[in-house]
């Protein structure tokens, strides 16, 4: 069926077993983002150490897509290079806003390529982007 | 007519869309009539026939088509008036939708142009609504309170999903000028009893408005029997087209109320300095009205009457009882609203433990072609009241069947398998 491409096994796996969930100390910046159309919310904290993202911790409520996207974000961002993680956010945003026409680069996106199918559902794109936008915001603020 | 047995299969044949195929060869199970109902051939045909044979502007054109169009438009008013047992056809004002009808009522309060004491509203006065309202029966009153400095208060909702009228006397006090509540909730399905509220409003001299958008399509509504002063409803939820709604109000109130929109057809005499206005309903119908939509709504009234509103209500009550039992068997399902099919309509909102409504709706549509609504259904305060961000809502109508409820339940079990 059509949505099969959206509910990838990997997405459901992250939804059922979210990685790195829960708010942790210490952190540099905490942000709270909401999606007013469906009420999804995320509170997200980042801890930077020089050029590295030391930790990304989060708490939130929402659909499987938004929860899984936060879990994948944690996996990819925590412990990675700040610059690299921001490039990945840009690539993910481009993929999500590409109406299913952008070919994802697995080298850049890693497990986040599993969300490629979501791009075909405009109503759900914001769900996938919620925590990623929160992360970008938090990094910008902690660097600002 | 109403003595015929209710033949849902025959009724379904009147709605061509119900037998269409969705992409991937899925059949359609439409459980979203509370959002908007489907249209029978009879309505589509009446609108097509009007456009092809009688179309012209109304009220001003003196030629044959103009008078035929005017006659059709005014015939529709007669049909709507009869459908809700209005004492006079002049008490039926056509609007764009129910939201506009409610805004029109709100606009007439605290308005310097309106000198009628009952509509005077300012600091120290009170507006009363309820926590179970659709945003369209909340926001116009918030705006009115902001404009005038009046206080906005509301009835709470019980855990069972009924209007909590325990504080009726304190809430509707001597300062209250207007009470506006839903006749039937668009989320809970609850049908509110109007008599205690109207009774108390009369004691303190307050006027009463009813948002009947979810009631008029589903049960016989006699406007005078409700005791209300204003009743708003919309065409597209009762087998009619979008773009047309109705405000019913007692004639003497319409006479006292100021125009809402100024423009063509609502005037008597216009000079550069000032104008006098046409009597109601024309006073409230500025500009070219939704003519073909009115014809469609008139045809929808004919269609529903030919089946019988009492019969439709009975059918929906049977469906509701069946659905309440069936949903109770789904593990982890929490129904938001009355659990017994008494004083409630066929609107069933629920949560599934651990699964977000967006995921429920997506799987139901994608795997089974089941159309439900997910989200807060334009009633966010009510969802906050129950401590949930969103629900999945199945809303049934005259064309729905118990087989479709079975399909919903099978779909929900599958959703739980995917996300469990």
């Amino acid at each position: 069926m059509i949505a099969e491409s959206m509910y990838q096994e990997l997405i459901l796996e992250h939804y059922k077993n979210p990685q790195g969930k829960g708010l942790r100390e210490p952190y540099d910046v905490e942000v709270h983002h909401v999606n007013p159309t469906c009420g999804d919310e995320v509170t997200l904290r980042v801890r930077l150490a020089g050029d590295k993202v030391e930790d990304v911790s989060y708490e939130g409520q929402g659909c499987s897509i938004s929860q899984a996207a936060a879990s994948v974000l944690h996996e990819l961002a925590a412990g990675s290079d700040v610059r690299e993680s921001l490039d990945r956010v840009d690539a993910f945003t481009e993929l999500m806003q590409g109406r299913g026409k952008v070919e994802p680069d697995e080298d850049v996106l890693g497990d986040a390529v599993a969300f490629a199918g979501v791009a075909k559902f405009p109503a759900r794109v914001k769900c996938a982007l919620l925590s990623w936008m929160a992360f970008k915001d938090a990094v910008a603020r902690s660097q600002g | 007519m109403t003595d015929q047995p209710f033949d849902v299969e025959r009724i379904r044949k009147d709605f061509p869309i119900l037998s269409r195929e969705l992409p991937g060869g899925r059949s359609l199970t439409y459980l979203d009539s509370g959002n908007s109902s489907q249209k029978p051939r009879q309505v589509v045909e009446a609108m097509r026939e009007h456009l092809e044979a009688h179309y012209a502007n109304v009220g001003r054109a003196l030629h044959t088509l103009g008078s035929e169009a005017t006659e059709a438009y005014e015939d529709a008013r007669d049909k709507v008036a009869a459908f809700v047992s209005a004492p006079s056809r002049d008490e039926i004002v056509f609007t764009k939708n129910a939201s506009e009808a409610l805004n029109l009522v709100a606009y007439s309060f605290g308005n310097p142009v309106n000198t009628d004491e009952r509509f005077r509203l300012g600091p120290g006065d009170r507006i009363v609504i309820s926590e179970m309202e659709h945003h369209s029966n909340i926001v116009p009153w918030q705006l009115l309170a902001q404009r005038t400095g009046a206080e906005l208060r509301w009835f709470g909702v019980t855990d069972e999903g009924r209007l909590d009228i325990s504080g009726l006397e304190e809430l509707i006090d001597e300062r209250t000028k207007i009470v506006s509540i839903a006749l039937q909730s668009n989320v809970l399905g609850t049908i509110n009893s109007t008599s205690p509220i109207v009774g108390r409003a009369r004691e303190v001299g307050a006027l009463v408005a009813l948002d009947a958008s979810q009631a008029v399509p589903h049960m016989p509504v006699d406007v005078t029997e409700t005791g209300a002063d204003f009743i708003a409803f919309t065409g597209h939820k009762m087998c009619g087209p979008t773009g047309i709604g109705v405000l019913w109000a007692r004639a003497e109130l319409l006479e006292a109320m100021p125009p809402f929109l100024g423009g063509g057809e609502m005037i008597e005499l216009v000079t550069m300095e000032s104008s006098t206005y046409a009597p109601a309903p024309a006073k409230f119908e500025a500009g070219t009205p939704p003519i073909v939509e009115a014809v469609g709504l008139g045809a929808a009234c004919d269609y529903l009457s030919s089946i019988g509103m009492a019969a439709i209500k009975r059918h929906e009550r049977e469906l509701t009882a069946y659905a309440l039992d069936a949903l109770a068997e789904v593990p982890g399902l929490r129904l938001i609203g009355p659990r017994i099919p008494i004083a409630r309509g066929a609107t069933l909102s629920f949560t599934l433990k651990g699964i977000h409504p967006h995921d429920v709706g997506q799987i139901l549509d994608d795997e089974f072609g089941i159309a439900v609504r997910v989200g807060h259904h334009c009633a966010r305060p009510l969802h906050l009241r129950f401590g949930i961000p969103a629900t999945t809502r199945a809303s049934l109508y005259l064309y729905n069947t118990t087989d479709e409820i079975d399909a919903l339940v099978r779909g929900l079990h599958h959703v739980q398998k995917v996300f469990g």
Side-chain angles (χ1 to χ4, degrees):
Chain A
M1 294 284 170
I2 314 161
E4 248 173 39
S5 55
M6 183 164 88
Y7 292 113
Q8 293 282 323
E9 203 49 52
L10 193 128
I11 293 179
L12 292 175
E13 199 44 54
H14 274 275
Y15 172 58
K16 290 170 190 170
N17 302 297
Q19 303 298 301
K21 192 169 179 171
L23 295 171
R24 285 181 291 278
E25 308 268 359
Y27 64 94
D28 302 327
V29 169
E30 178 181 294
V31 295
H32 181 73
H33 281 215
V34 298
N35 179 352
T37 52
C38 60
D40 286 2
E41 296 182 26
V42 68
T43 303
L44 181 139
R45 292 175 175 177
V46 292
R47 169 72 173 173
L48 304 184
D51 295 338
K52 291 276 173 204
V53 179
E54 199 171 274
D55 193 20
V56 180
S57 67
Y58 63 95
E59 193 57 71
Q61 57 163 17
C63 65
S64 59
I65 302 298
S66 74
Q67 297 303 294
S71 173
V72 169
L73 169 76
H74 166 83
E75 242 183 29
L76 293 172
S80 79
D81 184 74
V82 175
R83 188 66 257 155
E84 224 169 75
S85 71
L86 289 177
D87 287 346
R88 193 172 284 135
V89 172
D90 288 344
F92 187 65
T93 308
E94 194 197 341
L95 174 65
M96 285 299 101
Q97 293 174 343
R99 299 179 177 280
K101 296 196 178 81
V102 173
E103 198 54 49
D105 183 347
E106 197 164 353
D107 290 343
V108 178
L109 287 167
D111 276 359
V113 294
F115 290 85
V118 178
K120 279 175 252 163
F121 297 84
R124 307 300 296 276
V125 166
K126 279 186 180 163
C127 309
L129 284 175
L130 182 66
S131 56
W132 289 64
M133 290 299 105
F135 173 72
K136 189 177 179 180
D137 182 24
V139 170
R141 289 197 204 189
S142 59
Q143 290 178 329
Chain B
M1 281 182 293
T2 51
D3 295 325
Q4 291 172 6
F6 195 90
D7 184 351
V8 71
E9 287 310 322
R10 185 180 57 79
I11 288 167
R12 288 178 71 83
K13 290 197 173 72
D14 292 333
F15 294 82
I17 205 167
L18 297 178
S19 50
R20 75 156 276 192
E21 195 174 90
L22 300 177
R26 291 164 297 161
S27 58
L28 170 68
T29 298
Y30 191 75
L31 306 180
D32 198 21
S33 296
N35 197 351
S36 198
S37 73
Q38 295 300 343
K39 320 303 171 199
R41 281 179 209 282
Q42 289 84 340
V43 167
V44 178
E45 185 53 33
M47 293 174 75
R48 194 185 62 80
E49 205 258 335
H50 184 85
L51 279 166
E52 287 185 355
H54 309 291
Y55 184 77
N57 210 331
V58 296
R60 58 197 90 168
L62 291 179
H63 45 70
T64 305
L65 292 185
S67 57
E68 285 179 7
T70 304
E71 200 178 315
Y73 180 67
E74 294 303 329
D75 270 358
R77 197 187 308 278
D78 288 331
K79 288 174 182 179
V80 172
F83 191 71
V84 294
S85 307
S88 162
R89 67 183 309 281
D90 294 333
E91 294 178 340
I92 299 295
V93 176
F94 286 133
T95 61
K96 183 171 69 179
N97 46 36
S99 293
E100 186 184 299
L102 290 163
N103 276 273
L104 191 165
V105 175
Y107 182 78
S108 63
F109 283 86
N111 188 323
V113 180
N114 189 352
T115 52
D116 190 296
E117 188 52 40
R118 292 167 297 177
F119 290 87
R120 245 183 246 272
L121 190 81
D125 292 326
R126 186 177 272 192
I127 303 160
V128 176
I129 57 173
S130 94
E131 213 174 11
M132 70 165 76
E133 300 310 313
H134 187 283
H135 295 163
S136 63
N137 200 25
I138 298 176
V139 183
W141 304 111
Q142 289 175 339
L143 292 169
L144 176 63
Q146 283 163 14
R147 278 199 300 274
T148 59
E151 176 196 26
L152 181 67
R153 296 288 300 274
W154 49 88
F155 287 99
V157 171
T158 67
D159 290 342
E160 206 217 350
R162 303 284 184 187
L163 200 66
D164 179 5
I165 58 166
S166 56
L168 178 70
E169 309 238 320
E170 297 93 287
L171 192 59
I172 302 180
D173 65 4
E174 306 293 330
R175 297 170 297 171
T176 306
K177 305 302 286 278
I178 174 75
V179 181
S180 189
I181 62 161
L183 191 48
Q184 178 174 325
S185 160
N186 73 316
V187 176
L188 306 165
T190 306
I191 298 169
N192 290 316
S193 165
T194 56
S195 56
I197 291 160
V198 171
R200 177 60 185 158
R202 290 286 169 266
E203 280 173 22
V204 300
L207 295 168
V208 176
L210 294 178
D211 173 3
S213 305
Q214 299 286 346
V216 168
H218 302 285
M219 64 176 101
V221 171
D222 176 326
V223 289
T224 31
E225 209 165 273
T226 64
D229 300 293
F230 311 97
I231 292 184
F233 55 100
T234 193
H236 72 93
K237 293 187 201 292
M238 54 184 285
C239 298
T242 54
I244 186 154
V246 176
L247 171 67
W248 169 83
R250 289 193 288 114
E252 60 102 6
L253 292 170
L254 289 175
E255 199 184 321
M257 289 156 67
F260 176 50
L261 299 170
E265 288 302 313
M266 52 76 73
I267 47 86
E268 190 178 57
L269 279 176
V270 179
T271 65
M272 288 314 290
E273 290 76 26
S274 63
S275 302
T276 54
Y277 309 117
K283 179 167 69 170
F284 301 102
E285 296 180 1
T288 295
I291 302 162
V292 189
E293 288 75 8
V295 170
L297 179 56
C301 290
D302 285 344
Y303 178 76
L304 292 171
S305 299
S306 75
I307 294 160
M309 288 311 293
I312 291 170
K313 186 182 177 183
R314 263 199 308 280
H315 173 69
E316 290 187 27
R317 185 187 291 151
E318 282 165 20
L319 288 180
T320 305
Y322 187 90
L324 287 168
D325 285 346
L327 291 176
E329 300 296 313
V330 179
L333 186 145
R334 175 187 174 201
L335 188 82
I336 308 298
R339 284 173 180 73
I340 48 166
I342 297 168
R344 66 123 59 233
T347 299
L348 303 128
S349 298
F350 55 86
T351 58
L352 278 188
K353 194 173 166 46
I355 308 174
H356 193 280
H358 280 86
D359 291 323
V360 177
Q362 194 100 52
I363 295 284
L364 287 179
D365 175 52
D366 189 63
E367 303 270 335
F368 305 97
I370 299 173
V372 292
R373 186 165 170 192
V374 295
H376 53 51
H377 320 304
C378 302
R380 190 165 177 274
L382 182 67
H383 283 77
L384 292 176
R385 152 69 181 84
F386 284 95
I388 46 178
T391 50
T392 301
R393 180 185 75 178
S395 52
L396 313 172
Y397 205 7
L398 75 160
Y399 39 65
N400 288 120
T401 65
T402 53
D403 284 351
E404 291 180 304
I405 294 163
D406 292 340
L408 171 67
V409 170
R410 278 196 304 275
L412 293 175
H413 282 297
H414 181 78
V415 168
Q416 289 181 317
K417 230 175 1 189
V418 172
F419 295 100

